[in-house]
Amino acid sequence: MNPGARLVMLGKQGAGKGTQAVRLSRHYVVPHVATGDIFRAAVRSGSEFGHKARTYLDAGELVPDEIVIGMVREQLTHVEITHRGFILDGFPRTSQQAEALLGILEPKGLDLAINMKIDTDHVLKRLAARRVCSDCGANYSVVDNRPKVRGICDVCGGEVVQRDDDTESAIRRRLELYERETAPLIAWFEKRGLLANMDALGSPDEVTDRLVAEVDRRKQVL
Ligand code: ADP
Ligand code: ZN
């Protein structure tokens, strides 16, 4: 039987976190919980919550910790998620979120935090190439991960577009906040013996194989 997995995906914008998170969630047959996707769905729904979230997203600012933590706590306490595992994508992003996460996950804890490593040159290229389904949030790239039919989502048939926050100024702000708030979490996870540094370069298939091999290796050691 497939053992499931309890994983966190870390990495700079454009490292391919989202794409790999979806692939890992299929491989281990566990839910993919992506905070950015949840916020974008809220924006699309036109709810008051979505309206508030939008001001943060479009500017590339972080949504306040208490809002994000409450949302993730609710998602992760669903029985089916805690039972087999989950792939957390885009959370934690601040030290307060990381501390809260360990509390939420007690007593089982986490298997691994995967840090997708990439340099800034590659990041800017990937972000410029990034496209997303406006209905289901699936990720694409006009360079190496195009939808089968141009502009149409493989998964749901929705329209594939560029994200509203993939503008130059929002990208700059997100990278700045990544360095200031999120990069310190790499050492934080390492100190707890939970970090795997992984090279994010290569085709999507190559990277997935690399990540699965590492997760399986760690799970055997545990
Ligand atoms: P990216 O990694 O490319 O910035 P995401 O889809 O993960 O994209 O996040 C998009 C936006 O959603 C962020 O810029 C931020 O406004 C908000 N967001 C997502 N996750 C978090 C989080 N854990 N804490 C605060 N804000 C978040
Ligand atoms: Zn779609």
Side-chain angles (χ1 to χ4, degrees):
M1 193 193 93
N2 186 305
R6 303 164 65 83
L7 304 176
V8 158
M9 306 293 287
L10 293 173
K12 223 176 265 174
Q13 284 74 12
K17 265 194 322 280
T19 304
Q20 294 302 328
V22 171
R23 287 161 161 257
L24 290 176
S25 84
R26 287 192 192 130
H27 180 89
Y28 291 105
V29 203
V30 296
H32 170 215
V33 179
T35 44
D37 287 352
I38 297 172
F39 288 130
R40 279 186 290 278
V43 170
R44 286 196 297 275
S45 78
S47 68
E48 197 186 323
F49 177 69
H51 198 74
K52 260 190 221 150
R54 180 168 201 160
T55 56
Y56 295 101
L57 264 68
D58 284 359
E61 296 295 332
L62 291 174
V63 176
D65 280 339
E66 55 284 10
I67 296 178
V68 193
I69 291 168
M71 197 177 82
V72 169
R73 176 176 285 118
E74 195 180 306
Q75 295 276 329
L76 290 182
T77 41
H78 286 310
V79 179
E80 63 276 21
I81 292 185
T82 42
H83 175 59
R84 279 185 51 81
F86 51 82
I87 315 283
L88 251 184
D89 168 12
F91 184 95
R93 258 178 155 104
T94 66
S95 53
Q96 208 188 328
Q97 292 179 16
E99 297 285 356
L101 178 63
L102 287 199
I104 293 169
L105 294 182
E106 267 173 17
K108 284 190 183 167
L110 195 69
D111 291 335
L112 203 59
I114 296 176
N115 180 32
M116 308 260 304
K117 297 194 71 159
I118 187 164
D119 31 272
T120 306
D121 283 2
H122 284 108
V123 160
L124 295 175
K125 268 185 224 146
R126 285 202 187 180
L127 289 177
R130 175 155 83 180
R131 299 293 183 272
V132 61
C133 172
S134 55
D135 284 340
C136 76
N139 272 293
Y140 297 95
S141 160
V142 295
V143 175
D144 59 8
N145 185 20
R146 285 190 204 151
K148 292 191 183 79
V149 180
R150 192 191 172 127
I152 307 287
C153 177
D154 295 349
V155 181
C156 78
E159 192 190 355
V160 174
V161 298
Q162 189 152 27
R163 269 169 48 170
D164 287 339
D165 63 346
D166 279 345
T167 61
E168 208 185 308
S169 66
I171 288 173
R172 201 178 320 117
R173 182 63 181 151
R174 274 149 61 215
L175 289 170
E176 215 172 87
L177 286 171
Y178 171 82
E179 293 300 341
R180 197 178 82 197
E181 303 288 341
T182 311
L185 298 184
I186 295 169
W188 189 93
F189 279 111
E190 187 162 36
K191 208 164 72 190
R192 288 162 179 77
L194 290 171
L195 187 77
N197 279 311
M198 303 299 297
D199 181 1
L201 288 184
S203 73
D205 283 346
E206 277 162 12
V207 177
T208 306
D209 290 349
R210 198 180 291 154
L211 299 186
V212 166
E214 179 64 15
V215 172
D216 290 347
R217 194 180 70 76
R218 296 282 184 131
K219 287 175 67 77
Q220 269 167 14
V221 175
L222 288 175

